[in-house]
Amino acid sequence: MIESFNGRFRDECLNANVFVSLHDARQKIEAWRIDYNEHRPHGSLGNLTPREFAEQAARTGLQEAPNF
């Protein structure tokens, strides 16, 4: 699972941007993280965004991701 994330992060963020400073890198990486966690559905979470999944889990008491 982490290897999939690392590959996606490398391909979509690190390889797609030029960082001119540490501050610039932090801003671009944070923007990518927000998009990844709040706007993109994830197949492993039943095509919910991580935020939607967390909210649903909090409402229903679900502790682990279901096996999709």
Side-chain angles (χ1 to χ4, degrees), residues 22-55:
L22 183 56
H23 179 73
D24 181 49
R26 286 180 174 152
Q27 286 184 319
K28 289 175 180 174
I29 290 168
E30 179 65 7
W32 183 87
R33 185 195 66 77
I34 289 169
D35 179 60
Y36 187 82
N37 285 325
E38 297 183 10
H39 303 122
R40 286 188 188 186
H42 294 246
S44 64
L45 302 177
N47 290 319
L48 298 173
T49 67
R51 173 175 278 205
E52 291 169 334
F53 181 80
E55 290 169 354

Side-chain angles (χ1 to χ4, degrees), residues 13 17 39:
C13 185
N17 289 288
H39 303 122

